[in-house]
Amino acid sequence: GAGVSQSPRYKVAKRGQDVALRCDPISGHVSLFWYQQALGQGPEFLTYFQNEAQLDKSGLPSDRFFAERPEGSVSTLKIQRTQQEDSAVYLCASSFLGPYNEQFFGPGTRLTVL
Amino acid sequence: GENVEQHPSTLSVQEGDSAVIKCTYSDSASNYFPWYKQELGKRPQLIIDIRSNVGEKKDQRIAVTLNKTAKHFSLHITETQPEDSAVYFCAALANAGGTSYGKLTFGQGTILTVHP
């Protein structure tokens, strides 16, 4: 079947604009993760959903970041009043339930804030 | 929280040579260690992983070793090929609380270049 998909693949925003990034996980995957990957760095955990429940949002850097997964499938990461330091690749990953199951990553959305 | 250090940051080898990438972690509760390969502009993909109840795992030309006492683990690639060129990330997962999900902490990455 299809893998994890993300849209848009590239997003350019002016400082202060709001953006919304979409993730379509693999069908049947209960777990969904969002990561932020700065240039030349490893992914950093942002938030975790189990179905529609957001169980962990400890990695969200500020209250400008908000994520949702209302029907337990598609998820949206929203960033309000974007800042230059928000520029990064935002990766979504999904997996079956359980801590040791492989996380399948999407291609990411590269966000550039001017 | 968990902290993962990865070395070297860049590694250049000749085709056919072996490559070794090393990671250390800080949280003794970590019990799962996956390795991801990320080609330029592509998504990270799992290449091998190891649980804390074993010391070594092999899959063809790739192997991972784990030393829980020293809190370090390594990726070994033998008979390297140009298509092995990519960025490799190690990661660690602490599940001491018995949670139902895997919160991974990644290393900084190693850029591996295999010269033909």
Side-chain angles (χ1 to χ4, degrees):
Chain A
V4 179
S5 60
Q6 293 185 244
S7 61
R9 291 295 312 278
Y10 303 91
K11 178 68 179 178
V12 179
K14 292 182 179 179
R15 189 161 57 90
Q17 283 184 330
D18 297 348
V19 298
L21 313 180
R22 177 188 169 108
C23 171
D24 284 81
I26 293 172
S27 178
H29 280 187
V30 168
S31 295
L32 186 145
F33 306 81
W34 283 98
Y35 292 89
Q36 182 189 60
Q37 186 174 24
L39 189 64
Q41 300 295 315
E44 289 194 5
F45 172 85
L46 293 177
T47 187
Y48 166 73
F49 288 88
Q50 184 175 307
N51 293 308
E52 69 280 1
Q54 189 176 20
L55 298 188
D56 190 334
K57 51 183 180 179
S58 61
L60 296 177
S62 78
D63 58 7
R64 296 186 296 104
F65 286 71
F66 171 78
E68 61 183 4
R69 193 186 185 195
E71 297 179 358
S73 178
V74 172
S75 178
T76 304
L77 176 67
K78 298 179 179 178
I79 309 173
Q80 297 177 324
R81 305 181 302 281
T82 52
Q83 303 294 316
Q84 285 190 324
E85 59 263 29
D86 300 336
S87 296
V89 174
Y90 290 86
L91 293 164
C92 173
S94 70
S95 75
F96 290 112
L97 186 64
Y100 310 119
N101 287 307
E102 178 180 355
Q103 294 186 25
F104 292 85
F105 282 82
T109 294
R110 181 177 296 278
L111 173 65
T112 302
V113 181
L114 303 177
Chain B
E2 174 69 278
N3 182 53
V4 177
E5 297 288 332
Q6 183 172 346
H7 299 280
S9 56
T10 61
L11 180 58
S12 182
V13 300
Q14 288 296 127
E15 183 177 1
D17 287 350
S18 295
V20 180
I21 303 170
K22 299 182 179 182
C23 290
T24 60
Y25 60 98
S26 62
D27 190 344
S28 57
S30 289
N31 56 7
Y32 174 66
F33 307 91
W35 286 86
Y36 283 83
K37 175 183 180 182
Q38 187 174 29
E39 297 179 16
L40 189 63
K42 302 287 183 64
R43 68 191 73 195
Q45 291 189 301
L46 180 72
I47 55 172
I48 195 167
D49 56 11
I50 190 168
R51 295 278 298 271
S52 59
N53 56 347
V54 298
E56 183 176 4
K57 183 177 179 180
K58 288 184 179 180
D59 183 3
Q60 298 182 354
R61 297 186 295 109
I62 295 173
V64 57
T65 59
L66 171 65
N67 183 327
K68 285 207 70 178
T69 303
K71 290 191 284 188
H72 67 70
F73 56 112
S74 300
L75 177 71
H76 305 253
I77 306 174
T78 59
E79 301 172 23
T80 54
Q81 301 167 4
E83 51 265 40
D84 294 330
S85 296
V87 181
Y88 291 81
F89 293 98
C90 63
L93 181 151
N95 191 243
T99 58
S100 60
Y101 65 99
K103 184 176 176 178
L104 294 174
T105 301
F106 285 83
Q108 299 89 339
T110 296
I111 302 172
L112 173 64
T113 304
V114 181
H115 299 281

